[in-house]
Amino acid sequence: MGGVTSSPGLTPLAERALALIPEGGRAIVGVAGSPGSGKTTLARSVAHRVNELADAGTAVHLPMDGFHLANATLDALGRHDRKGAIDTFDGWGFAALLQRVLAETANPVYAPAFERTVDEPVAGSIAVEPGTRLVVVEGNYLLVDADPWTRIPPLLAESWFVATPEEERMRRLVDRHTRHGRTPEAAAAWARDVDGANAVLIEASRSRADLVVDGTTGLPAGDA
């Protein structure tokens, strides 16, 4: 998704992120955006570029998707048919992890990742090592004005919102859902009815970001 991996905007964004790291400490940069905006690609690419500019292991990418509730839990709650909505994540657990990431720098902090091949989170997949100085966190709901999500912005050195035109987001989402097994018709319906409903809430949080990034170029929106 997205075409920002080789964007000329990556080096300035990586340098911006590096400048946020306190002397001898650790910083978290939050990357928010709607489904299909390109936030995962951008966050992963910025972390990779930081590691090229600084020492290897300086930065790590940490996605919120590892805090999806398990499918069995979603079934029990009656929410499986709208997986990805704000109440299908363990937001309290995610906020607590970010607090640990900032507080615990003498030992590894392990985080879950989301494995699409099994459509489930996998515990302990991501290690934030003692030498990690920058954690690039990304997820849909980082800037939403509701508990527990309001606990996240104070933990961030800076927040970025990836803005992408709806038509492009829908195209990416239909392609993604089709690649993961849905028919084109089912993929389009999910992108419209589930992802689209979530995007209404997410787009409303854009004004809370410190920086808006164009999801088609990887450049700050004012420079795109």
Side-chain angles (χ1 to χ4, degrees):
M1 130 177 115
V4 300
T5 303
S6 60
S7 164
L10 280 180
T11 295
L13 286 175
E15 290 174 342
R16 180 180 179 120
L18 277 168
L20 295 169
I21 301 172
E23 183 69 30
R26 176 181 290 165
I28 303 176
V29 170
V31 181
S34 292
S37 63
K39 63 186 176 299
T40 300
T41 300
L42 181 70
R44 185 183 293 122
S45 299
V46 167
H48 179 75
R49 185 64 181 134
V50 165
N51 286 331
E52 290 179 334
L53 294 173
D55 295 330
T58 297
V60 67
H61 164 233
L62 199 166
M64 187 193 80
D65 278 358
F67 285 83
H68 270 288
L69 297 179
N71 289 330
T73 302
L74 294 176
D75 288 336
L77 294 170
R79 302 174 188 173
H80 202 161
D81 61 346
R82 52 187 182 83
K83 185 172 183 174
I86 194 167
D87 62 350
T88 66
F89 290 88
D90 176 14
W92 293 98
F94 182 57
L97 174 76
L98 297 188
Q99 290 175 324
R100 286 190 62 206
V101 163
L102 282 182
E104 298 180 29
T105 57
N107 55 271
V109 176
Y110 292 98
F114 187 76
E115 180 53 65
R116 290 194 180 275
T117 57
V118 296
D119 196 37
E120 294 273 18
V122 179
S125 298
I126 299 167
V128 181
E129 300 287 357
T132 301
R133 301 180 61 215
L134 177 72
V135 180
V136 185
V137 171
E138 54 93 2
N140 294 339
Y141 304 112
L142 303 186
L143 303 177
V144 170
D145 188 20
D147 253 354
W149 308 97
T150 50
R151 297 169 180 250
I152 293 174
L155 304 174
L156 306 178
E158 195 164 80
S159 59
W160 304 347
F161 190 94
V162 182
T164 302
E166 182 178 5
E167 182 178 351
E168 174 62 14
R169 288 195 297 101
M170 290 297 107
R171 183 194 67 76
R172 295 175 183 177
L173 288 168
V174 171
D175 176 69
R176 177 199 298 173
H177 296 322
T178 303
R179 283 187 285 108
H180 289 99
R182 288 191 171 95
T183 66
E185 295 77 13
W190 190 279
R192 180 186 65 247
D193 299 333
V194 180
D195 294 326
N198 297 334
V200 173
L201 175 64
I202 298 160
E203 292 295 320
S205 72
R206 170 176 171 164
S207 63
R208 300 186 184 97
D210 297 304
L211 177 72
V212 176
V213 180
D214 187 302
T216 61
T217 65
L219 294 166
D223 299 335

